[in-house]
Amino acid sequence: MIGLILAGGIGSRFWPLSRRRRPKQLLDLLGGGSLVAATARRVEPLCGAERTWVCTTEELAAAVAAELPGLDSSRILGEPSGRNTAPAIGWAVRTMPEAARREVIAVMPSDHWVADEDAFREALSRGAAAVERGDHEVVTVGIAPAWPETGYGYLELEAPAEPLGVQPVLRFTEKPDAETAARFKASGRHFWNAGIFLFRGTVLLDLYREHLPELATGIERLVADGLDAARRREIYAGLESISIDYGLMERLDSIGCVVADCGWNDIGSWGLLAEALPADGDGNRTVGDTLAVDARDNLLFADEGAVAVIGVEGLAVVRTGDSVLVVPRERAQDVREIVERLVARGRLDLL
Amino acid sequence: MIGLILAGGIGSRFWPLSRRRRPKQLLDLLGGGSLVAATARRVEPLCGAERTWVCTTEELAAAVAAELPGLDSSRILGEPSGRNTAPAIGWAVRTMPEAARREVIAVMPSDHWVADEDAFREALSRGAAAVERGDHEVVTVGIAPAWPETGYGYLELEAPAEPLGVQPVLRFTEKPDAETAARFKASGRHFWNAGIFLFRGTVLLDLYREHLPELATGIERLVADGLDAARRREIYAGLESISIDYGLMERLDSIGCVVADCGWNDIGSWGLLAEALPADGDGNRTVGDTLAVDARDNLLFADEGAVAVIGVEGLAVVRTGDSVLVVPRERAQDVREIVERLVARGRLDLL
């Protein structure tokens, strides 16, 4: 199987740890190295380093390459600008040699957490087998909801998950409200959309031509011989900015789903990072030099210096070299507002 | 009038800003320099630099002297060990030349906040005049409660305060419970005990001989001619450790009170510091580089780097070079527990 790791994006919800030049996928949020390196290691038994590709941004390509010393830099692609996932995946697949394009490709984000990596790989293998057999053009990975998350998209299946099966997806649902999320969690037929897809590259490009014809044409122009960097940058900037979920997957009649029982979250915020860390007896999750007195259910994160709290509950307290952030865990997704304010104030020194 | 500024103590409730070698009185908590320098400046119009004395610890004497360049270092006394206020004041007064001891001495802590310094000085002058006239052996300073504080001691007068009077204190009350504090605030007859006392030095030493005879004897041994440093240290360490409030003032039959309408607090914690800082439209009080989004009534203090909060209320968030503290403002006095834990863990690097 070919692995295609998506490592663009800015991850501003991890401010103050994430910065323009050090976004989330380059951070060591869970111990054991950067998230992008952990992602490559996770699929190494399936793909091997020589069959792993990475799509990131031009600006981050060198930093990503430094995290992945076993990967040939020719397979680390740098987008000239950010145009969301449909252009990035289409361009990366089209850039691969034709033999690779004919194989099953697993595309996945670079910044997720997986507890049981064997179970995760088993699900990917099951999905790849279904693609190889031709049962589905595309197979996606679903995760049984561990809590009624309102920040994720959901996949609805016809029937409760079969542990070793591949089942058709009835529909995609974007971020639900709390009531709907609770119903989804209880149903047994709704699964978190992990944003991981398996397909043959050639089939994906056919689907682009059918459902995203302008994007498909743009991608062909990008890989034409003799294109200079300025022209490539210009063409890329003109591609439609659209996610592969919305632009393609949700429009397909038939898409398969493998349910992975592996413990997963997208570490989309400090609050979700907390879910991926072990809790002490008071429910506090800590990284670095921290002290909690009479405090419960907090995330305390210190990449240098010390963080001490007393008498607080449900907070994320994050300390990096020059900045401190305090936010209730349940509002951690709003950290983007901090970043927006800093942008508005011209505080590039903090971004 | 002679000024005697008490500048010992460790102020551990201002951790992480206060450290063993940089206690509260040496901090610039309100802008405008260290608290001890602000205290000396405040009484300078009454005492003049040549009539101002400071009692601190041996360890801090050099740092205190550096904050008070106008003061002759012979008038900055360093206690060999911490034995609370009664020994410190008695020893400092006994150390003064006899002519000074016969004058009115105003003794005051070095770490308080005063909003209206003219009103404060007027009250001191009023008290000094009463001592000079012989109306009272000791006059203390009361402050009309701005809120029903449970962390302060209170002075009870017979009648509501006369703005320009000197009235007898009926009794001292130690830190009251919340219900009692609310009753005190409403009474018009209860005042915060600011811990500031006026007396003639000779009279004070007589009162020591009457009420604290062993301490008085120890102090006389301390000032005997020809004592070497080791012996002085030994004698000082053997003095009874007791506050002047408990050891003397609360035992006197007659003590006068001048009420100062000056805006005062003892900055006894991060929570009380907040009361002394101006609030923005959301009730946030900030020092340094801070950002508050959808947040109310917080104290944000950054002596370097940036502090950002979102969605929190009523917290103190303090950042110093190597440490971060987060505590509800109303629990700020419990920061001592953090310091105790750090001591127990041997974390001298943070203390």
Side-chain angles (χ1 to χ4, degrees):
Chain A
M1 167 187 337
I2 303 277
L4 172 57
I5 297 171
L6 302 178
I10 49 171
S12 65
R13 280 176 297 186
F14 274 91
W15 188 89
L17 197 62
S18 58
R19 302 295 170 104
R20 287 172 294 158
R21 294 185 178 79
R22 193 180 60 172
K24 177 185 159 198
Q25 59 272 26
L26 294 175
L27 303 177
D28 179 6
L29 288 171
L30 294 160
S34 69
L35 296 180
V36 68
T39 301
R41 266 203 313 275
R42 192 180 301 135
V43 295
E44 208 276 340
L46 298 176
C47 311
E50 68 290 342
R51 297 161 67 80
T52 299
W53 292 68
V54 179
C55 184
T56 182
T57 63
E58 268 184 5
E59 201 179 18
L60 297 175
V64 167
E67 290 295 324
L68 303 169
L71 247 63
D72 191 282
S73 63
S74 66
R75 291 198 305 280
I76 298 176
L77 309 177
E79 305 163 81
S81 55
R83 307 302 293 159
N84 212 327
T85 51
I89 293 167
W91 172 60
V93 168
R94 185 62 184 78
T95 301
M96 294 177 186
E98 192 173 347
R101 253 182 281 154
R102 293 186 184 283
E103 292 195 48
V104 177
I105 300 173
V107 59
M108 69 198 72
S110 58
D111 55 356
H112 290 178
W113 166 75
V114 169
D116 182 344
E117 303 206 334
D118 285 331
F120 177 78
R121 285 188 289 263
E122 180 282 319
L124 284 192
S125 298
R126 186 163 19 115
V131 171
E132 275 177 353
R133 284 193 309 266
D135 296 350
H136 298 277
E137 289 177 323
V138 176
V139 169
T140 183
V141 176
I143 309 286
W147 61 85
E149 174 64 45
T150 57
Y152 291 161
Y154 285 73
L155 308 165
E156 181 180 348
L157 307 188
E158 275 182 345
E162 298 155 9
L164 296 175
V166 183
Q167 295 163 268
V169 175
L170 267 188
R171 67 178 61 83
F172 288 73
T173 306
E174 286 299 304
K175 301 173 181 181
D177 59 27
E179 193 183 329
T180 308
R183 190 161 50 76
F184 284 1
K185 173 159 170 31
S187 78
R189 294 189 305 108
H190 293 83
F191 296 84
W192 289 342
N193 177 0
I196 300 171
F197 300 99
L198 298 116
F199 45 73
R200 283 190 199 278
T202 46
V203 171
L204 184 84
L205 295 175
D206 286 342
L207 293 171
Y208 272 49
R209 276 187 281 273
E210 183 182 345
H211 295 281
L212 295 162
E214 284 186 32
L215 179 57
T217 304
I219 288 169
E220 290 303 321
R221 289 166 65 207
L222 272 177
V223 297
D225 288 338
L227 208 64
D228 69 16
R231 182 73 188 123
R232 191 170 64 233
R233 183 181 305 275
E234 189 186 351
I235 295 171
Y236 203 96
L239 299 180
E240 184 184 10
S241 179
I242 191 168
S243 75
I244 198 166
D245 297 68
Y246 182 73
L248 184 65
M249 299 306 173
E250 298 180 15
R251 300 182 191 180
L252 299 181
D253 291 332
S254 161
I255 183 166
C257 176
V258 287
V259 171
D261 182 16
C262 59
W264 171 95
N265 93 47
D266 78 347
I267 328 183
S269 68
W270 288 112
L272 288 166
L273 172 65
E275 300 291 342
L277 292 168
D280 70 15
D282 295 319
N284 296 306
R285 334 257 176 152
T286 65
V287 173
D289 191 6
T290 65
L291 175 63
V293 176
D294 190 19
R296 280 191 305 283
D297 299 330
N298 302 286
L299 170 68
L300 309 180
F301 189 103
D303 76 340
E304 53 184 283
V307 167
V309 301
I310 182 163
V312 297
E313 193 170 337
L315 293 181
V317 180
V318 179
R319 151 76 192 264
T320 67
D322 57 4
S323 298
V324 175
L325 166 72
V326 181
V327 59
R329 276 171 60 181
E330 63 183 20
R331 291 200 56 184
Q333 69 278 12
D334 297 336
V335 169
R336 279 181 174 166
E337 291 181 38
I338 298 263
V339 174
E340 285 161 14
R341 296 284 187 101
L342 293 172
V343 169
R345 291 184 181 184
R347 292 299 302 273
L348 284 179
D349 58 313
L350 296 177
L351 293 170
Chain B
M1 167 187 339
I2 303 276
L4 172 56
I5 298 172
L6 303 178
I10 51 170
S12 64
R13 280 177 296 185
F14 274 90
W15 188 88
L17 197 61
S18 58
R19 302 296 170 102
R20 288 172 293 159
R21 293 186 179 76
R22 193 180 60 173
K24 177 184 160 198
Q25 59 272 27
L26 295 175
L27 302 177
D28 179 6
L29 288 172
L30 294 160
S34 68
L35 296 180
V36 69
T39 301
R41 266 203 313 276
R42 192 180 300 135
V43 294
E44 208 277 340
L46 298 177
C47 311
E50 68 290 343
R51 297 160 69 79
T52 299
W53 292 68
V54 179
C55 184
T56 183
T57 64
E58 268 184 4
E59 200 179 20
L60 296 175
V64 167
E67 290 295 323
L68 303 170
L71 247 64
D72 191 281
S73 64
S74 67
R75 291 198 305 281
I76 298 177
L77 310 177
E79 306 163 81
S81 55
R83 307 302 293 159
N84 212 329
T85 51
I89 293 168
W91 172 60
V93 167
R94 185 62 185 80
T95 301
M96 294 177 188
E98 191 173 347
R101 253 182 281 154
R102 294 186 183 285
E103 292 197 47
V104 176
I105 300 173
V107 58
M108 69 199 72
S110 58
D111 54 356
H112 291 177
W113 167 74
V114 169
D116 182 344
E117 303 207 333
D118 286 331
F120 177 79
R121 284 186 290 262
E122 181 281 318
L124 285 193
S125 297
R126 188 165 14 117
V131 171
E132 274 178 354
R133 285 193 306 268
D135 296 349
H136 297 277
E137 289 177 324
V138 176
V139 169
T140 182
V141 176
I143 309 286
W147 61 85
E149 174 65 45
T150 57
Y152 290 160
Y154 284 72
L155 308 165
E156 181 179 349
L157 306 189
E158 276 182 343
E162 298 154 11
L164 297 176
V166 182
Q167 296 162 266
V169 175
L170 266 188
R171 67 177 63 82
F172 288 74
T173 308
E174 286 300 303
K175 302 173 180 180
D177 60 28
E179 193 184 328
T180 307
R183 190 161 50 77
F184 283 1
K185 173 160 171 26
S187 78
R189 294 189 303 108
H190 293 82
F191 296 85
W192 289 341
N193 177 1
I196 299 171
F197 300 99
L198 298 115
F199 45 75
R200 285 190 198 278
T202 45
V203 171
L204 184 84
L205 295 174
D206 286 343
L207 293 171
Y208 272 47
R209 278 187 280 273
E210 182 181 347
H211 296 280
L212 295 162
E214 285 186 32
L215 178 57
T217 304
I219 288 169
E220 290 303 322
R221 290 167 64 208
L222 272 177
V223 296
D225 288 338
L227 207 65
D228 69 16
R231 182 72 188 122
R232 191 170 64 234
R233 183 182 304 275
E234 188 187 352
I235 295 171
Y236 203 95
L239 298 181
E240 185 184 11
S241 179
I242 190 167
S243 75
I244 197 165
D245 296 69
Y246 183 72
L248 184 65
M249 298 306 173
E250 299 180 14
R251 300 182 191 181
L252 299 181
D253 290 332
S254 161
I255 183 165
C257 176
V258 287
V259 172
D261 182 16
C262 60
W264 171 95
N265 93 48
D266 77 347
I267 328 181
S269 67
W270 288 111
L272 288 166
L273 172 65
E275 301 289 343
L277 291 168
D280 69 14
D282 295 319
N284 295 306
R285 335 258 175 151
T286 65
V287 173
D289 191 6
T290 65
L291 175 62
V293 176
D294 189 19
R296 281 191 304 282
D297 299 330
N298 302 286
L299 169 68
L300 308 179
F301 190 102
D303 76 340
E304 54 183 284
V307 167
V309 301
I310 182 164
V312 297
E313 193 171 336
L315 293 181
V317 179
V318 179
R319 151 76 191 266
T320 67
D322 57 3
S323 297
V324 174
L325 166 72
V326 181
V327 60
R329 277 170 59 182
E330 63 184 20
R331 291 200 56 185
Q333 70 278 12
D334 297 337
V335 169
R336 278 182 174 166
E337 292 181 37
I338 297 264
V339 174
E340 286 161 13
R341 295 285 187 100
L342 293 172
V343 169
R345 290 183 182 185
R347 291 299 303 271
L348 284 179
D349 58 313
L350 297 177
L351 293 171

